[in-house]
Amino acid sequence: MPSLLKARRENEAVGNRTIELFETAKVYLPRAGELPQEELMLGLTSGGGDGAFYRVKGVLEALLAALSPAARFEVRDLTKKHDLLAIGRACELALDGEVVGVLGEVSAA
């Protein structure tokens, strides 16, 4: 996320009005007494204004429906607070009951 937000900030600084970026990267999640768990993650940012959160949510729903029509996609309230995300504009994304991601608007802080 830091590199993605840095790229967005740099685009804003030079006056780009529409900034739609994504990034895939491996992350290493700590595990007690073991090597970190390696996961491939996708991050994205949209500069679509007030409706961007809902627009991105809709795109993800449509994409998952097209890729896996039988899968059950859910949007859930966050079970824990994320300091990076705005309150009321953040959710967990679950596929067939398993949390597969977090979607939210970056907080002003």
Side-chain angles (χ1 to χ4, degrees), residues 54-103:
Y54 298 103
R55 204 167 26 262
V56 170
K57 179 180 158 289
V59 168
L60 291 173
E61 289 172 329
L63 180 63
L64 287 169
L67 292 174
S68 186
R72 191 181 83 239
F73 181 68
E74 300 173 75
V75 177
R76 303 175 179 170
D77 289 336
L78 281 175
T79 57
K80 60 184 175 189
K81 182 179 179 281
H82 286 266
D83 293 334
L84 182 65
L85 303 177
I87 295 171
R89 297 250 180 166
C91 60
E92 289 180 333
L93 306 173
L95 194 57
D96 291 331
E98 181 182 344
V99 175
V100 295
V102 175
L103 174 65

Side-chain angles (χ1 to χ4, degrees), residues 13-77:
V14 295
N16 290 335
R17 293 171 107 22
T18 304
I19 307 165
E20 308 289 342
L21 303 171
F22 75 94
E23 175 180 81
T24 58
K26 289 183 181 178
V27 298
Y28 301 90
L29 305 172
R31 292 190 292 191
E34 297 183 47
L35 291 174
Q37 179 180 337
E38 184 178 316
E39 295 282 341
L40 183 61
M41 299 283 177
L42 166 70
L44 61 95
T45 178
S46 176
D50 287 340
F53 173 78
Y54 298 103
R55 204 167 26 262
V56 170
K57 179 180 158 289
V59 168
L60 291 173
E61 289 172 329
L63 180 63
L64 287 169
L67 292 174
S68 186
R72 191 181 83 239
F73 181 68
E74 300 173 75
V75 177
R76 303 175 179 170
D77 289 336

